[in-house]
Amino acid sequence: MSSEGDDAVKTICPYCGVGCGIQIQQGEDLGDVNFRPWGDAPVNEGRICIKGGAATQVIDHEDRLTEPLIKEDGEFREATWEEAYDRIVSEMERIREEHGPDGMGFYGSSKTMNEENYLLQKLARRYGTNNVDNCTRMCHASTVWALRTSLGAGAMTNSMEDLEEAADVFWIQGANPGEQHPIANSQYFRQAVLEGATVIQVDPHANKTTRSFDIEETDRHMHLQLNPGADIPLLNVVLKTILERHEAEPDAGWIDEDFIEERTEGFEHLKETLADFDKEEAAEEAGVPLEDIELAAEKYAMANNAAIFTGMGMSQHTCGVDNVQNEINLALITGNLGKPGTGVNPLRGQNNVQGTSDVGAMPNVLPGYQLVDDDEARESVEEVWGFEVPDEPGLTNVEISHEAGHSVHGLYVMGENPVMSEPDGNEVEERLKSLEFMVAQDIFMTETAEFADVVLPATTWAERGGTVTNTDRRVQRMRGVEKVHENTKHDLEILMEVGSRLFSEDEFRFEDVEAVFEELREVCPIYHGMTYDGLGEEGLHWPCYEEGDEGDQFLYEDSFDTESGLGQIEGVRHQPPAEVPDEEYPLILTTARLEEHYNTGTMSRRSPTLSRQHPENFVDVHPNDAESYGIEDGDMVTLRSRRGEIEVKAQVTEDIKEGVVWTTPHFAAASANRLTNDVLDDRAKIPEYKAAAADIAVTVSD
Ligand code: SF4
């Protein structure tokens, strides 16, 4: 197969945040869309993982929504677009009249493009509410919070290329790139390791990342298998070790005194926090031998350049902001920021979760992370939009869901599936039932769309163009082939129509995607210097403040984007998960994703290639726990928490620690999120998916 088809179009894989370039080619029949490699794609140079290779399989799936649907007497019936729009507009107007604008909530989608999310958040704000959010809340809201407040921007500080070239040590905590970012793992991390870099992985679960760095010289790969929720104690041992050794050997380079002096504030607070800190007790809390953590601390501190990668194992806790702050502390005291091969780098999950946040589909920020309660920033956006924006942050998506039936009466859901993506899924279903009105815009009838009053059939990623922003801030263009089903519409077209009917054509009618991008860059300082055409095939890493800016491979070379220009160090103390094991629920349940599936599985469960790899959910159980519960490998077991139960197959394995069980959220009938706890981090409002109390038993058939 040629890698360059004449009529193939260059686009971006619709799955994870790595942002691999692929080509798609229109086949003879409509809906017959073929995958082709893109040999010199900027991120992946033609390489592709199993998901990317199978991405075109669901474009013409028989389950596609092809006509608008309206629910009457509890049943959906086909409707015209005119009827659907009339219903949406009249219900949204009624809700605003009866309950005020905060009576509606809006969910953007990281599976859709920047322009679509931009228009959705503009629609919410024109409606008069900041109740707009996206799934970054579920994955990296706490990371974004910590990075934004302590360094300046809620994104990767560095880029994959500079990390591969310059990092000597990769510290990967609560992330599993071998599974969730396969091309980043194989193309960048593994390559660096082959050339001599060291990997320190901190994760409660041994996984594909652990196995992908099978280095003979074993001290170049360490796996610190900690207890779920013990990241602060573990990192505090690392920090305390570095401070102690620095005191003993002040000239050995354990910390970077000049960097601390010139570029940070808060070092004294960190020292005070750790003054009476007991390393042995903390190592026991973490469940990792003290000498292993000390060795890892030495490797990180002594590296020329050390880069931290952070994932949802860090962010999805009630102490998610503090978890990431402690990683920032580590990078700042060792001077591992502001240069190639360093930094604190969140690995983002979905292909446009970075962009969806960049363009303002969040309740506290406008495009470009400008705070809604910053008068100057808000007024500058209002000037372009021509209407006033509420000056108080709105509700996050889990808060919107908590308020359903109380202060929130209507919901506009674009490409999201909260019944499966939010914690405590059984309760989410009940709350959706109590809404007065809900519209769902999607490509399939999702578990959430079932509860909607109006369902709008949208087109897939392969049928339209726009921009997406990957995990290392690279804004890239997607391009589409022909539409498969005549009566489906692009998300942008739908939003333009709803906005124009509710408000005015002037505010919501655009000639094309490029025109939306033009308005976006006017109100989004970090995208301001980009032009749609100028993105070309390479894309650009934000920030691009002025036209001609080439974007930054790494941030903060000279100063941080904080008020003082200094990086913020702040000592943090251990906070156990909100729910800990007890007599009734003696195990810790933790959750994570699989390489072959994608979040709520809407697309990946329908792909024959992906579904074949993992057709159903399972739970990893340690052999000692299996023995005490009488579980054999392959048994069906019932996994219970205070919020529900699921039946899954047991996989008995030493990949997981004793006392911990591990399962996934991808499968509708047996999703981990029927069990997870919807308690939130106070500041970032991210739920604690990674630790809940649970029990397990062999399933007894009737
Ligand atoms: Fe797609 Fe991510 Fe796989 Fe690349 S690594 S092909 S972006 S799923």
Side-chain angles (χ1 to χ4, degrees):
M1 184 190 280
S2 149
S3 68
E4 303 287 334
D6 289 340
D7 53 353
V9 296
K10 290 174 173 158
T11 191
I12 305 300
C13 170
Y15 286 117
C16 89
V18 174
C20 296
I22 59 175
Q23 294 195 94
I24 52 174
Q25 188 181 34
Q26 183 69 58
E28 272 180 25
D29 299 325
L30 212 55
D32 180 13
V33 182
N34 302 312
F35 163 83
R36 306 186 70 149
W38 172 1
D40 52 0
V43 173
N44 53 314
E45 294 168 0
R47 296 179 189 88
I48 209 78
C49 78
I50 188 169
K51 276 208 292 282
T56 55
Q57 286 180 346
V58 296
I59 294 164
D60 194 20
H61 194 280
E62 58 183 5
D63 292 349
R64 279 286 303 276
L65 290 165
T66 55
E67 302 291 334
L69 302 172
I70 288 182
K71 197 178 271 169
E72 271 174 9
D73 300 325
E75 299 287 328
F76 283 117
R77 67 160 174 86
E78 284 188 6
T80 63
W81 279 98
E82 218 29 57
E83 282 178 286
Y85 286 137
D86 278 353
R87 182 84 186 272
I88 293 166
V89 168
S90 65
E91 282 297 297
M92 285 177 70
E93 281 175 340
R94 180 188 62 76
I95 286 170
R96 195 161 60 154
E97 218 171 281
E98 290 179 12
H99 308 289
D102 290 335
M104 274 296 293
F106 295 78
Y107 283 17
S109 170
S110 305
K111 294 194 284 289
T112 60
M113 300 181 200
N114 287 329
E115 295 72 18
E116 293 150 358
N117 283 292
Y118 170 73
L119 214 55
L120 181 90
Q121 61 82 37
K122 182 178 175 185
L123 178 67
R125 279 148 179 160
R126 179 66 180 88
Y127 189 79
T129 184
N130 282 319
N131 289 351
V132 57
D133 207 1
N134 77 89
C135 73
T136 192
R137 187 69 44 202
M138 333 300 282
C139 57
H140 272 296
S142 44
T143 319
V144 168
W145 185 288
L147 289 172
R148 188 172 53 73
T149 50
S150 294
L151 302 180
M156 260 176 85
T157 58
N158 288 58
S159 61
M160 289 182 278
E161 282 134 291
D162 85 57
L163 289 160
E164 182 211 337
E165 282 165 22
D168 309 307
V169 167
F170 293 97
W171 184 288
I172 303 175
Q173 188 150 357
N176 177 9
E179 193 106 37
Q180 275 113 39
H181 304 86
I183 295 301
N185 197 60
S186 59
Q187 181 155 327
Y188 294 101
F189 304 154
R190 201 155 181 280
Q191 191 53 38
V193 167
L194 289 174
E195 288 163 17
T198 293
V199 171
I200 296 157
Q201 186 197 1
V202 187
D203 201 299
H205 193 234
N207 48 40
K208 282 190 182 167
T209 303
T210 327
R211 290 183 266 278
S212 67
F213 301 117
D214 191 10
I215 308 157
E216 273 181 31
E217 204 183 313
T218 49
D219 73 344
R220 286 198 18 241
H221 177 212
M222 297 181 71
H223 176 205
L224 307 182
Q225 195 169 10
L226 82 174
N227 293 322
D231 298 274
I232 291 176
L234 187 139
L235 279 176
N236 276 346
V237 173
V238 172
L239 289 160
K240 178 89 177 177
T241 301
I242 291 173
L243 295 179
E244 283 172 350
R245 302 277 170 91
H246 171 69
E247 236 175 80
E249 311 165 87
D251 299 324
W254 285 91
I255 65 173
D256 187 333
E257 282 186 313
D258 292 343
F259 191 89
I260 293 170
E261 173 66 28
E262 289 159 24
R263 303 216 35 203
T264 74
E265 54 194 359
F267 185 48
E268 286 309 313
H269 184 265
L270 177 69
K271 287 204 285 190
E272 279 160 29
T273 307
L274 296 176
D276 300 324
F277 178 75
D278 184 333
K279 287 204 310 185
E280 277 179 22
E281 205 177 284
E284 203 171 310
E285 182 84 50
V288 179
L290 177 58
E291 59 275 18
D292 289 0
I293 309 178
E294 287 175 334
L295 178 61
E298 180 177 341
K299 286 178 183 298
Y300 179 90
M302 289 299 154
N304 286 333
N305 295 315
I308 294 173
F309 289 86
T310 187
M312 302 197 309
M314 292 295 274
S315 57
Q316 291 178 331
H317 283 285
T318 45
C319 57
V321 173
D322 283 345
N323 276 345
V324 179
Q325 178 61 49
N326 232 12
E327 296 179 309
I328 293 169
N329 292 340
L330 179 58
L332 285 172
I333 68 163
T334 52
N336 276 305
L337 269 161
K339 57 180 180 171
T342 63
V344 179
N345 300 288
L347 287 163
R348 308 303 305 259
Q350 305 207 34
N351 96 328
N352 196 33
V353 64
Q354 183 66 55
T356 302
S357 308
D358 294 350
V359 303
M362 290 171 81
N364 61 332
V365 293
L366 294 162
Y369 302 98
Q370 303 174 90
L371 296 168
V372 293
D373 48 13
D374 174 338
D375 292 345
E376 202 181 318
R378 196 184 59 258
E379 279 159 21
S380 75
V381 176
E382 287 172 345
E383 207 172 302
V384 176
W385 286 353
F387 58 83
E388 280 187 18
V389 174
D391 59 5
E392 301 249 324
L395 299 175
T396 64
N397 50 9
V398 182
E399 289 176 321
I400 290 171
S401 148
H402 283 173
E403 281 299 312
H406 301 289
S407 68
V408 173
H409 302 271
L411 200 55
Y412 197 117
V413 182
M414 175 173 77
E416 266 299 316
N417 191 6
V419 164
M420 282 191 64
S421 61
E422 288 189 12
D424 198 2
N426 296 333
E427 189 57 31
V428 176
E429 284 186 354
E430 291 308 312
R431 292 190 200 120
L432 293 185
K433 283 184 202 159
S434 67
L435 288 169
E436 291 171 19
F437 179 71
M438 175 173 147
V439 53
Q441 186 170 312
D442 217 307
I443 58 171
F444 294 119
M445 178 60 76
T446 63
E447 290 73 15
T448 299
E450 294 282 0
F451 293 92
D453 298 281
V454 177
V455 177
L456 303 176
T459 52
T460 65
W461 61 277
E463 299 163 84
R464 61 195 208 275
T467 65
V468 289
T469 309
N470 80 347
T471 192
D472 68 357
R473 299 173 278 106
R474 190 193 288 259
V475 183
Q476 301 188 95
R477 277 181 60 183
M478 291 186 77
R479 299 169 181 87
V481 294
E482 283 177 53
K483 196 159 90 168
V484 179
H485 296 287
E486 204 188 332
N487 214 18
T488 56
K489 288 188 192 293
H490 304 319
D491 288 296
L492 201 61
E493 220 179 325
I494 299 170
L495 292 167
M496 283 200 271
E497 194 61 39
V498 172
S500 298
R501 286 173 184 236
L502 266 170
F503 304 108
S504 77
E505 299 254 338
D506 282 354
E507 291 162 318
F508 286 94
R509 189 72 68 196
F510 293 82
E511 205 182 316
D512 51 22
V513 183
E514 184 175 350
V516 182
F517 187 82
E518 275 303 307
E519 186 180 291
L520 162 64
R521 57 186 282 255
E522 234 186 299
V523 294
C524 182
I526 54 177
Y527 283 33
H528 188 69
M530 298 174 188
T531 62
Y532 197 69
D533 276 345
L535 291 173
E537 290 182 359
E538 291 289 313
L540 278 168
H541 296 274
W542 64 254
C544 288
Y545 295 112
E546 300 298 335
E547 240 176 271
D549 279 3
E550 288 178 1
D552 288 337
Q553 293 273 328
F554 65 93
L555 305 176
Y556 317 127
E557 186 167 12
D558 301 315
S559 71
F560 293 97
D561 289 337
T562 54
E563 224 170 276
S564 60
L566 301 173
Q568 303 296 304
I569 297 172
E570 189 187 345
V572 297
R573 295 179 202 277
H574 180 42
Q575 302 132 59
E579 216 178 55
V580 291
D582 56 19
E583 233 169 78
E584 200 182 351
Y585 295 98
L587 299 168
I588 304 174
L589 166 72
T590 193
T591 65
R593 295 161 297 153
L594 299 167
E595 178 179 359
E596 297 80 4
H597 282 285
Y598 185 62
N599 297 334
T600 70
T602 311
M603 293 194 289
S604 59
R605 278 184 277 135
R606 289 182 168 91
S607 153
T609 302
L610 301 176
S611 181
R612 209 167 26 243
Q613 303 294 319
H614 282 293
E616 58 185 9
N617 201 7
F618 58 93
V619 58
D620 278 3
V621 183
H622 189 273
N624 294 351
D625 291 323
E627 197 183 332
S628 28
Y629 287 90
I631 297 167
E632 300 278 342
D633 190 52
D635 275 355
M636 284 307 287
V637 293
T638 304
L639 199 54
R640 293 191 307 123
S641 80
R642 287 190 171 80
R643 291 154 292 280
E645 60 180 46
I646 58 172
E647 284 184 20
V648 285
K649 204 174 263 184
Q651 188 167 283
V652 177
T653 169
E654 288 190 354
D655 280 353
I656 196 70
K657 286 176 84 96
E658 191 174 347
V660 184
V661 285
W662 177 102
T663 191
T664 86
H666 307 300
F667 302 87
S671 165
N673 286 335
R674 299 283 165 184
L675 312 178
T676 45
N677 194 353
D678 65 354
V679 62
L680 308 177
D681 175 289
D682 274 352
R683 287 167 285 179
K685 313 288 183 192
I686 189 169
E688 188 154 64
Y689 291 99
K690 293 297 183 193
D695 192 18
I696 194 168
V698 175
T699 304
V700 182
S701 343
D702 297 331

